[in-house]
Each structure stands twice: as C-alpha cells, then as structure tokens.
Amino acid sequence: TTATGDFKVRDLSLAPWGRKEIQLAEHEMPGLMKLREEYGPSQPLAGARIAGSLHMTVQTAVLIETLVALGAQVRWASCNIFSTQDEAAAAIAVGPTGTPEAPAGVPVFAWKGETLEEYWWCAEQILVWPGGEGPNMILDDGGDATLLVHKGTEFEAAGAVPTATEEDPEEYRVILDLLRRSLGEDPQRWTRIGQGIKGVTEETTTGVHRLYEFARAGTLLFPAINVNDSVTKSKFDNKYGTRHSLIDGINRGTDTLIGGKVAVIFGYGDVGKGCAESLRGQGARVIITEIDPICALQAAMDGYQVTTLDEVVSTADLFITATGNKDIITAEDMAKMKHQAIVGNIGHFDNEIDMAGLERTPGVVRNRVKPQVDEWVFPDGHSIIVLSEGRLLNLGNATGHPSFVMSNSFANQTIAQIELFTKNDEYEKKVYVLPKHLDEKVARMHLDALGVKLTQLSKEQAEYIGVDVAGPYKPDHYRY
Ligand code: NAI
C-alpha cells in the first residue's frame, strides 16, 4: 500500500478511473439515486456516524456517497481481504471534489490483498474514530465489525483477553492479539464504542446468523436490522447476483470452457440456486448436494441431479461451495479430485473448504498461477486449481455483483440505516426485518429502468384478495 492519510488505499492515482466507474454505476443504481433525490433535502442521516464494513467495490462506493448525500459521516473498510477494487477505494478517498494530490473524500481503509493482521487493523480504524466521538451506527456485511465490538466489550467486562486454543482458526488469534493490545491501551474502549452504537444493519446470510445467535444468548448490544431477508435482497442479490458473478469469477480466474463439464454446487439456498443457473447457462451438467430435504427436492424438480460429494468427487470438473457452513470440502476430498479440477467457494467465510488441511497434506506443493489462482500439486503428480484461497471467488477473482442488483440490496441498507437512526426508540436489542411496504418500495424503484409496466389493482380486486390498492400485496409469511 502506498497512500495513507486518515485513510489507507493502494494507489490514489487510480481515483480518476474509479470515479468514471462510479459515474457509470450511478446510472445502473436507480434505487440509490432515487433515495438521494427523495431524502437529500431532509438529510435524515445528519448526525449519523457510520462505521461501514462491506466489500469496497464500485457499487459500494455509490452506497457510501449516498449515505454521505443523506447527511452521514462515514468510515469504511472492506469485509474481505481480496474483495476491494483498488480504483473504487482510491476514488472514495479522493472524493468527487478532491484530487489524488489533495484527497478530500471519505476515510477508507481497504486494498485488494490484505493480510489478516491488516484486515483487522482496517476494521479497528472504522470503529475507533479520531477525536472524542465514536461511531453511532454500523453497516456490516458478515458481521465482523459487530463481532469486534461484542468481543471487545465481553473481554473488557472480564478484564482479560483469553488465549487462543489449538482448535481456534488462525484468524481468531489475530482478533485476540488486537483486543489484547487494545485492552492495554484503553480498558474501556470497546465498551464505550458499544454503548455509543444505536444499531447495525447487516447485509448477508452469515452475518444475520451471527446476530440471531447474539440475540438468542441475550448478548446483542444494540438493535439490528436484517437486510439480507428483505425479499429484494436475498431473492435478488444472492440469486441473480451470483448467477452473474460466479461465472465471471471462474472465467477471469481460469478461462476454462464450462460447457460440457460437470459442476458440483454445494447448497441449494438462494446463492446455490443462482450458481446452479449460472453454470447451467454455460452448458455445464450441474449436480447439487444438500442437507435440507426441501432444498434437495427443489433442486431435483429444477432438473438437477442431487447426490453426495463421495459419489462424484473423482469425476466432476468444478466444485463450488455455497452453504454458509463449514468443512464442506476436506483435504482428503481434494486429494481424490481429477487432474485440474477447479475448487472455489462463494459463501461468506473461507471455512467451507479446508485450506489449512490442504496445506498440511504431506508432499503437497502450491504453485501460484496469478493472484487469487493457485495450482496445488499432489505427490502423485495430479493437481487441482483453487480460486481465491477458498475465499469468496466472485469478489476475489472478479468484481462481485453488478450494479443493478446491488442497487436493490443497498437501497434496503440505506432505508434500514434511516429507520434505525431516526426511529431508534422504537427498536429493542433484537433483530428486525424491514416492513413489506419498504421492500415493495425498493422493487418499485427499479421497474422503470427495465421498462416494466405494472398492472393496477382495482378497488374491487383489492378487496377480493384482501389487500390495500397501494400494497403490501402479500402477507408476511409469503415466500416468493
Ligand atoms: P441459504 O441458507 O439460503 O443456503 C445455504 C444452503 O446450504 C441451505 O439450503 C442449506 O441447507 C445448505 N447446506 C448447509 N450445510 C450443507 C452441507 N453440509 N452440504 C450441502 N448443503 C448444505 O444461504 P444463502 O443466502 O444461499 O447464502 C449462502 C452463503 O453465501 C452465506 O455464507 C452467505 O452469507 C453467502 N453469500 C455470498 C454472496 C456472494 O456474493 N459471494 C452473496 C450472498 C450471500
């Protein structure tokens, strides 16, 4: 990294390129631009100090500048070591009116290819604000910023930071080291930060899962809005987003022809459904693994073979994990795969594929093909290709989801931030989803751009099906 100030990015001279990409993306993000029009004059986020932890891409840049346009102060980090687009980070640091020589943008701490120590340092920078006041809102993706505040608060209450055990992942050791140093510097830092936060809005399935666990244990420190489970998020970003970006990542990483190959997708949830369609669209024969009978049956009815990894481990060409669960592909599985099989993960964390076990396999050799693409050669001479070291490949090998689908997700994020910040008294330390009328509002904001003409309900029809003419059009339990 070369450029630092109250920010740290790879190279500020990339800013003009990033700015051009941001301008193009704005046109593709009608939801965010309409929110700027609607809320710009009233500045509902004036006074909000948002700590944002979400992949620092071009689309996220448009989100950041939307939050700023609504009055917020923002500090930002990426939520993955490989997912930053350096030109977008540079453009955010420079800002629309600054120059690379005189940056005047948002404090952003993100570059592509961070170490784990750097990653958690960046997370700390968005939460520990210079000067007296800390953040009063978190915007999280995967829950790492929220986790740091909760763990810090927990250890400060105990007066000590535990030592990592053998079973703990390496990353946990890094977190503990950071918090140990912090405790030495200021024994109440995280408690204060936690108390100052009015709420968090969480982007993804895995982060939402963590929030419900805190809530169940009674340790959630502030209210949370689960953005993931807005219909216009998980049924769009997770599905149509991965349908675009999975294949993009595989192509940019390997340029291997997908047609005619056999691809295994682990998990047939929202992400798995998009991934399966993505590969089928390229002419692959797609096989699904599932643990849930409902999703397994769905996959079968959608025309996919559903089986176990053992049945296909030595014959399939591509293996993509999309479960949000751990230990999906083991080192022993990878040893059994055929020569130059491609292995990747699109779930939030890197524990779906046992990379540590692969590294420990006796005689295995790792050859770097290029950044985020490695060939792992086994002692018998056969090799496999692992994308993004087992981290989410659509952001590591490509640039994540395209703007239009992220406009839906980020419109939900922006609305959720406004909700929690402006109506904070109405929320307890629980996890909420946005009401359906706001979900429908997000969808509505994206119809014109696609030339969609909506049919208008008559008053009689509305009464007949028991809804209001203006919506919501479905009961909360409807599943889409
Ligand atoms: P989901 O809960 O809808 O789907 C996960 C599926 O995996 C479930 O159907 C579950 O039954 C299945 N599963 C769990 N354990 C399994 C196992 N051992 N073997 C086979 N299947 C198993 O979750 P969703 O929304 O599809 O998200 C999956 C992951 O992707 C999460 O970590 C989420 O945070 C992440 N995500 C990543 C995105 C990206 O751009 N890379 C975008 C959105 C979500």
Side-chain angles (χ1 to χ4, degrees), residues 204-206 238 269-271 290 295 324-325 328 346-348 394 401:
T204 199
T205 317
T206 288
N238 304 27
D270 292 319
V271 171
E290 252 297 345
C295 297
N325 202 347
I328 302 303
I346 197 163
H348 191 78
N394 62 328
H401 297 171

Side-chain angles (χ1 to χ4, degrees), residues 49-62:
R49 296 184 301 278
I50 302 173
S53 169
L54 195 152
H55 310 292
M56 186 54 250
T57 62
V58 169
Q59 292 69 36
T60 301
V62 182

Side-chain angles (χ1 to χ4, degrees), residues 100-127:
E101 294 71 37
V106 165
V108 50
F109 303 84
W111 56 96
K112 192 176 183 78
E114 296 161 1
T115 63
L116 286 177
E117 283 79 8
E118 289 169 338
Y119 174 81
W120 286 97
W121 176 85
C122 291
E124 189 180 9
Q125 302 316 303
I126 64 165
L127 289 161

